[in-house]
Amino acid sequence: MGKGARKKGPKQATDRKPKVRDVFVGQPFEGLAAEPELIALREFVPSATAKLTLADGGDVTLGTVLPMAAAAFVRSDGERYVGLQVQTRSSDISRDLGRSLKWLLDAKEGDVLGVPDTTTPPSADEHARLQDLLTPGAELDVTLHKDFAWWLPEDADATGDVAVSLERANAAIMPTERLGHGAYWVLAGEKAHLRWVRPEPENLLLQALARLSAAGELGLGEGSRYAGSFRAHGLLVPVWDLDPEAHAREWAEAKDALGIRLETALKSLDTEPLNAAERRARDGLIGRQLTLR
């Protein structure tokens, strides 16, 4: 008897739910003018807030870290916050944030969303990604904070779990200064760095960096050196080691000058392919991948 003859007839209906294919989104903030800032605030800026301009005209406050690493909450004075640095994520961070933001719009004072909704299957008509909810061309006006006192209304005191979370969060802060769009000076222990989230495609950016490196123009001046780069949410983040004794403001002019050189190098790629020395420099840069700690 063949295999086909041994079949017992059509399969019976079951209560199994249809499988939903959830595709990983490697560049979740693509299409937003604030993409570099969103990546910086999620990955390495410790305490910062920024107003998010909603497409319907309203606004909420974006925070790097919320009490107990919550996804969103409404402060007792009615101020609404959505958090970037959360411990639970799905395959699409933009959708996670969008769902938290939509929850926030109907939340009441004192309500807390502990974790984002990462389990509800996405649907074609959901429209819950940040790209659906924000004004795409809006930049972020970032405010850096030296602690997490902004969790509480003025003259309010933290109690219970919030007090414990506040103490731990404050103790973990590394001194940070903003030097431009997606560019941050960070004092990490005994070392200082410039971490600069760049919006260009990785291949083009590496070529431009290689062109500057071959010309000896990749540094920020005395007391600096190009350390390497790391990838974050689809974009490349070049990193420079800096003299920790120098204040962040002392690097602002050099960073702006480097930005001009980098833009010039990017434009030159349209008509001038990399030469042999620049290709060797690019290969060297590719090998200098960093792990953010």
Side-chain angles (χ1 to χ4, degrees), residues 123-186:
S123 60
D125 59 349
E126 184 177 10
H127 303 301
R129 305 185 78 241
L130 285 186
Q131 288 83 344
D132 301 319
L133 303 173
L134 304 183
T135 303
E139 300 282 1
L140 287 187
D141 184 9
V142 178
T143 300
L144 293 177
H145 304 274
K146 297 186 181 299
D147 55 29
F148 288 92
W150 52 269
W151 286 357
L152 306 169
E154 290 186 18
D155 303 323
D157 295 323
T159 60
D161 291 340
V162 173
V164 174
S165 183
L166 182 62
E167 182 178 359
R168 290 176 178 171
N170 285 340
I173 287 180
M174 294 186 296
T176 303
E177 297 287 344
R178 186 174 183 269
L179 297 184
H181 186 56
Y184 288 84
W185 172 91
V186 181

Side-chain angles (χ1 to χ4, degrees), residues 110-254:
D111 286 352
V112 178
L113 179 64
V115 295
D117 179 3
T118 60
T119 59
T120 301
S123 60
D125 59 349
E126 184 177 10
H127 303 301
R129 305 185 78 241
L130 285 186
Q131 288 83 344
D132 301 319
L133 303 173
L134 304 183
T135 303
E139 300 282 1
L140 287 187
D141 184 9
V142 178
T143 300
L144 293 177
H145 304 274
K146 297 186 181 299
D147 55 29
F148 288 92
W150 52 269
W151 286 357
L152 306 169
E154 290 186 18
D155 303 323
D157 295 323
T159 60
D161 291 340
V162 173
V164 174
S165 183
L166 182 62
E167 182 178 359
R168 290 176 178 171
N170 285 340
I173 287 180
M174 294 186 296
T176 303
E177 297 287 344
R178 186 174 183 269
L179 297 184
H181 186 56
Y184 288 84
W185 172 91
V186 181
L187 183 61
E190 297 180 353
K191 295 184 178 181
H193 310 283
L194 170 65
R195 299 169 178 170
W196 197 348
V197 186
R198 297 292 307 187
E200 299 85 8
E202 180 177 334
N203 182 49
L204 285 178
L205 180 59
L206 280 171
Q207 290 184 65
L209 291 171
R211 176 150 288 171
L212 294 184
S213 178
E217 298 179 344
L218 189 53
L220 289 161
E222 185 178 354
S224 74
R225 75 175 185 90
Y226 180 75
S229 62
F230 63 92
R231 297 180 183 87
H233 307 299
L235 295 186
L236 199 65
V237 187
V239 178
W240 287 261
D241 288 338
L242 306 175
D243 180 359
E245 298 299 321
H247 192 276
R249 290 190 297 270
E250 298 180 47
W251 299 105
E253 185 175 343

Side-chain angles (χ1 to χ4, degrees), residues 20 26 32-33 46 49-50 56 81-82 111 114 126 154 172 183 189 193 198 219 240 253 259 268 289:
V20 177
L32 295 172
T49 56
D56 64 4
Y81 290 87
V82 62
D111 286 352
E126 184 177 10
E154 290 186 18
H193 310 283
R198 297 292 307 187
W240 287 261
E253 185 175 343
S268 71
Q289 298 294 318

Side-chain angles (χ1 to χ4, degrees), residues 62-128:
L62 176 73
T64 48
V65 182
L66 302 186
M68 280 82 74
F73 85 115
V74 184
R75 224 166 50 178
S76 60
D77 60 356
E79 188 73 18
R80 300 175 297 178
Y81 290 87
V82 62
L84 262 176
Q85 298 179 26
V86 295
Q87 297 176 347
T88 304
R89 57 164 292 178
S90 72
S91 62
D92 185 358
I93 295 174
S94 180
R95 187 178 67 231
D96 299 345
L97 285 164
R99 286 176 172 176
S100 297
L101 197 156
K102 292 182 76 171
W103 172 91
L104 193 62
L105 299 180
D106 296 322
K108 308 299 182 184
E109 293 179 8
D111 286 352
V112 178
L113 179 64
V115 295
D117 179 3
T118 60
T119 59
T120 301
S123 60
D125 59 349
E126 184 177 10
H127 303 301

